[in-house]
Amino acid sequence: MNLIRYSFFSIALMAGAQDKPVRISPSSPPQESGVYHVGGAVKAPRVISSPQPNYPEEGRKGHAAGSIVIDLIVGSDGQVQYVKVQRGISPEIDQAAVDAVKTWKYHPAIKDGRPVRVQIAAEVAFQP
């Protein structure tokens, strides 16, 4: 049976709260409007649905365990728009986490009473 723990934290909390749009690395998709970090006037998105990833058989056989940190952008509609592994375990397990995170749904982040796009990070822990 899978034992997967989810914890969410904001990149802004690690780098200092910011209330202005930030640029994402060049590997991210082009941005039409600002992407914010949580902090100050920007309230974090709240998870509505976060289906668990499937624990790949290769990971189970190898007793692979640990946490995967995934950068993501949550759109103003609460949909995950961009996903990138920041720190992984193995290609198979990383892909399982990415596939699951792409299906997560959120109440969007809020700034000045309106929904905004926000960059956050999610930690997905796999334990055999």
Side-chain angles (χ1 to χ4, degrees):
M1 173 172 256
N2 304 17
L3 174 59
I4 301 170
R5 175 182 52 96
Y6 300 102
S7 62
F8 302 94
F9 57 94
S10 167
I11 295 171
L13 296 177
M14 297 187 305
Q18 298 179 10
D19 189 22
K20 296 182 179 180
V22 293
R23 294 278 180 221
I24 309 303
S25 68
S27 61
S28 68
Q31 306 301 315
E32 295 173 11
S33 62
V35 176
Y36 294 86
H37 284 259
V38 175
V42 181
K43 295 183 178 155
R46 291 178 290 123
V47 175
I48 297 171
S49 171
S50 57
Q52 295 184 350
N54 294 322
Y55 200 142
E57 192 60 36
E58 295 84 10
R60 288 180 202 263
K61 288 179 183 175
H63 302 287
S67 294
I68 298 167
V69 178
I70 298 177
D71 291 333
L72 60 133
I73 294 175
V74 177
S76 59
D77 60 358
Q79 302 294 313
V80 174
Q81 297 179 339
Y82 169 77
V83 177
K84 181 179 178 184
V85 174
Q86 183 183 62
R87 185 185 72 220
I89 298 173
S90 73
E92 298 84 14
I93 293 176
D94 296 353
Q95 189 61 53
V98 165
D99 292 344
V101 169
K102 286 179 178 180
T103 69
W104 292 1
K105 308 286 185 246
Y106 291 84
H107 286 288
I110 302 293
K111 180 181 186 301
D112 300 328
R114 296 200 310 243
V116 293
R117 296 173 74 206
V118 67
Q119 181 183 0
I120 61 172
E123 181 179 356
V124 182
F126 286 84
Q127 303 297 326

